[in-house]
Amino acid sequence: NQDAVASPSPSVSVFGNERRWADTTSYNTKKKLQAWFQLANGDWELGKIISTSGNESVITSDGKVLTVKSDSLVPANPDILDGVEDLMQLSYLNEPSVLYDLQYRYNQDMIYTKAGPVLVAINPFKKVPLYGNDFIEAYRNKATENPHVYAIADTAIREMIRDEVNQSIIISGESGAGKTETAKIAMQYLAALGGGSGIEYEILKTNPILEAFGNAKTLRNDNSSRFGKLIEINFSETGKISGARIQTFTVEQSRVVQCMEGERSYHIFYQLCAGAPSKLRDKLHLKSVNDYKYLRQSDCCSIDGVDDAVNFHIVKEALDIVHVSMEDQESVFAMLSAVLWLGNVSFTVIDSENHVEPVADECLVTVAELIGCKVEELKLPLSTRKMRVGNDTIIQKLTLSQAMDTRDALAKSIYACLFEWLVEQINKSLAVGKRRTGRSISILDIYGFESFERNSFEQFCINYANERLQQHFNRHLFKLEQEEYIQDGIDWTKVDFEDNQDCLNLFEKKPLGLLSLLDEESTFPNGTDLTFANKLKQHLQSNSCFRGDRGKAFTVSHYAGEVTYDTTAFLEKNRDLLHMDSIQLLSSCSCHLPQIFASNMLAQSEKSVVGPLHKAGGADSQKLSVATKFKGQLFQLMKRLESTTPHFIRCIKPNNNQSPRSYNQGLVLQQLRCCGVLEVVRISRSGFPTRMTHQKFARRYGFLLLENTNSQDPLSVSVAILHQFGILPEMYQVGYTKLFFRTGQIGMLEDTRNRT
Ligand code: ATP
Ligand code: MG
């Protein structure tokens, strides 16, 4: 059995750009071993090596005999490692083994797997029997160790109480991966353990409200969140929930006025049209979905299995529970109706220069009535714009396309402000029972890294945010890892990790960073997407994460891969399009909500930034650019997260059809790479990921010793085994209680054990 004693055993790493096999040949000559080989479609399949000669190996797989290139084989793990609950336990860590482990578990409805300190959750797209009181009890009593969101939430509560440090649960993943459901499952656990005051019930009821106003059907997800959310749940000294606070990140405004075919606007519009009782309908002049341009245009009014009318009542009930008064609720619905009617406002040409004016029909009259202004007052900002030229203010008439843009900008702003106002109302209600105890658990449900065929301003912002979160992720995971080594007294020199500071600098550096240059170009009257792209090329080439591409494109090397951005519409999207005239209208109308608009708008107008066309009404008319506002929110978020102990959950979408029992290897792999899961396992394992107590090690492998040791002491037996197998000193460390091994070491012992 000579070939069993190979040293060092193959240490495999095929993550990122690395592909290191310390000793490929010795691995391949180990007959009877299992290995992965790749099919033409990229999927991996398991085979057994029969023989190897030269650069070719003969393998059997599924009854077939195949000849493959030896160096294309990737080692598979011994069967005892099938479906391990932590990827760190894999002896051979490589992409096919990780994919197989996750799939093996997923097929048995074990959708949760640990990747070292991170929880991986695969969306089952069906009900799985993993939730509810019995499970909550089991995790509360530590009766089970299976990876679960409940386990993460449980750890968070315990650590909050034990260490008196605030905690955070950071959930990421691409659209449809299950972030929002996962966040709700975590909230469910916290509510069950920390409940009692009744406030937990209110907290849970914020979900249907925020989903109604902030979620929509997209091509990727029937219930896609179009905003990011951080909910901070406060606890009293006794571990009971005492209050909560929600922070949201920019709701996608463009969806209100425009969405792709097959997608919908925000759920609440359809719910209102379908579910409002007749008295309310009359009062708000509500019609049906098909009567509204904004809702009709995407040719998609309903969602399979969803009853908008029923959901309207659920939302109303939830609003009652979080103490939004009847009066306020009605105002909210009136604003929604105003938005819909605004979309129906049309224009007629009034002069030879194609200037237009809104038609004073039912639509315009209804909008004016709903927001509480005179028809003439509404007409003005929809047909003219005040401009400052030098020290004079002139009035410019609008063309059709300008007027339509202005109308849509107004609708978008009303909606965005309404959303923010609603969140504030909810926060007031949730703060009622709150006493500052300094103890909280925050749950972050935020858009994950995005890389599409065409990437625009939205992806630019989202990926920037993910770059920041990734830095947080890195810093934290290294720290934890290294602390454990020190505790067990092992010799440890600090491990370097892939730092993404260069990429963050690319975005944030002043004055020569992506964000600064974008803002600068947005203020130039003659700035275009092309001049912006050229400016980037001129100033940023020296940053290794940046590459200027042909035409209007540029590429950023993100931690999760390269993304090429198309600068088309960057400047326009970065400028906030709402004009001062509209802002003034909204702050002066007699509807119930002008305070919100006023405070919202003025808050934004303090600092400088963009829009040559917006310089009406003096210096205070300048507004923050969208990117700058986003960056501000992000910094605030990071500051809050920084003071917490984080727990990470990475959600994975197993297929693109939202269907159960379907696992697409390529798709999963791409997400594992993007959300940094492979990276974290690789980095964690670059330390000494396999740990076994001296006792366990001696018991498991002691019988392989060729010569008896004189001592029965587990540590001596362990050392004798290490020597006999020639495991190199740099491959392990002996701690006070445990042995620590590098990747692959135990796998080799395990193989030998099985073949003996
Ligand atoms: P987006 O970024 O678009 O908001 P998301 O990551 O928040 O996406 P979810 O809305 O949470 O995705 O999940 C999409 C759908 O997947 C859910 O509506 C639900 O049908 C299903 N799903 C997700 N997680 C689970 C789960 N644990 N059990 C059952 N179904 C789930
Ligand atoms: Mg979501």
Side-chain angles (χ1 to χ4, degrees), residues 182-456:
T182 300
K184 285 192 277 190
I185 293 163
M187 284 165 82
Q188 202 182 59
Y189 190 84
L190 298 182
L193 264 69
S197 65
I199 193 102
E200 73 278 6
Y201 191 55
E202 274 188 56
I203 292 174
L204 294 176
K205 286 294 173 184
T206 61
N207 288 320
I209 301 174
L210 291 180
E211 285 184 27
F213 284 83
N215 288 26
K217 175 188 179 342
T218 67
L219 295 179
R220 293 185 190 83
N221 182 358
D222 285 351
N223 184 34
S224 184
S225 320
R226 311 313 298 161
F227 66 106
K229 180 177 94 175
L230 180 78
I231 179 163
E232 177 187 297
I233 300 176
N234 301 92
F235 291 82
S236 68
E237 289 89 344
T238 54
K240 293 293 162 204
I241 294 177
S242 58
R245 196 161 81 89
I246 296 170
Q247 186 191 348
T248 56
F249 304 89
T250 42
V251 66
E252 178 187 64
Q253 295 183 20
S254 58
R255 182 166 298 273
V256 174
V257 301
Q258 189 181 48
C259 58
M260 282 210 277
E261 205 169 302
E263 300 203 340
R264 295 206 319 184
S265 182
Y266 292 100
H267 295 327
I268 190 65
F269 288 116
Y270 307 85
Q271 293 171 351
L272 180 66
C273 290
S278 58
K279 230 175 101 194
L280 186 64
R281 306 187 75 82
D282 292 345
K283 196 164 175 190
L284 305 185
H285 307 281
L286 273 176
K287 296 199 157 192
S288 67
V289 166
N290 275 310
D291 293 311
Y292 295 113
K293 257 202 206 136
Y294 282 160
L295 304 184
R296 190 170 62 206
Q297 60 182 347
S298 66
D299 221 5
C300 176
C301 294
S302 58
I303 304 173
D304 282 349
V306 173
D307 186 330
D308 289 314
V310 168
N311 287 343
F312 180 73
H313 293 285
I314 292 175
V315 171
K316 261 197 68 67
E317 235 176 74
L319 286 168
D320 291 339
I321 288 166
V322 301
H323 305 105
V324 176
S325 69
M326 288 307 276
E327 197 193 1
D328 281 348
Q329 287 184 32
E330 215 174 281
S331 302
V332 168
F333 298 140
M335 290 302 111
L336 293 174
S337 177
V339 167
L340 292 176
W341 278 107
L342 202 51
N344 285 4
V345 166
S346 55
F347 299 89
T348 82
V349 175
I350 51 163
D351 63 18
S352 58
E353 288 170 86
N354 270 332
H355 292 128
V356 297
E357 205 169 65
V359 179
D361 59 5
E362 182 198 11
C363 309
L364 197 72
V365 172
T366 309
V367 176
E369 184 190 323
L370 288 167
I371 67 174
C373 68
K374 298 201 185 85
V375 174
E376 285 308 313
E377 287 171 330
L378 177 59
K379 247 178 148 171
L380 211 61
L382 290 179
S383 54
T384 61
R385 182 179 302 166
K386 284 203 211 83
M387 296 272 292
R388 169 160 286 201
V389 176
N391 285 328
D392 300 324
T393 301
I394 58 163
I395 294 186
Q396 185 195 36
K397 289 181 183 161
L398 302 181
T399 62
L400 180 61
S401 75
Q402 286 174 329
M404 291 201 313
D405 284 349
T406 305
R407 175 198 64 194
D408 290 348
L410 187 60
K412 288 190 283 193
S413 287
I414 293 177
Y415 194 78
C417 290
L418 192 62
F419 185 81
E420 283 181 29
W421 178 83
L422 196 58
V423 172
E424 263 332 291
Q425 297 312 299
I426 293 173
N427 280 337
K428 278 185 198 156
S429 172
L430 296 180
V432 167
K434 188 166 115 184
R435 279 183 301 132
R436 276 261 152 232
T437 61
R439 285 181 187 171
S440 70
I441 298 178
S442 297
I443 302 176
L444 181 69
D445 166 8
I446 200 159
Y447 11 65
F449 185 81
E450 287 185 353
S451 175
F452 302 131
E453 218 140 276
R454 208 184 143 266
N455 301 289
S456 184

Side-chain angles (χ1 to χ4, degrees), residues 111-112 122-128 131 173-182 185 215 218 220-226 445-448 651 658:
I111 61 170
Y112 301 114
I122 304 193
N123 189 343
F125 287 116
K126 63 169 186 178
K127 277 211 156 62
V128 280
Y131 314 111
E174 64 178 53
S175 181
K179 298 179 293 296
T180 303
E181 295 302 318
T182 300
I185 293 163
N215 288 26
T218 67
R220 293 185 190 83
N221 182 358
D222 285 351
N223 184 34
S224 184
S225 320
R226 311 313 298 161
D445 166 8
I446 200 159
Y447 11 65
C651 296
Q658 308 184 47

Side-chain angles (χ1 to χ4, degrees), residues 56-59 65-69:
E56 289 192 331
S57 292
V58 178
I59 55 174
V65 178
L66 300 143
T67 305
V68 297
K69 286 241 158 33

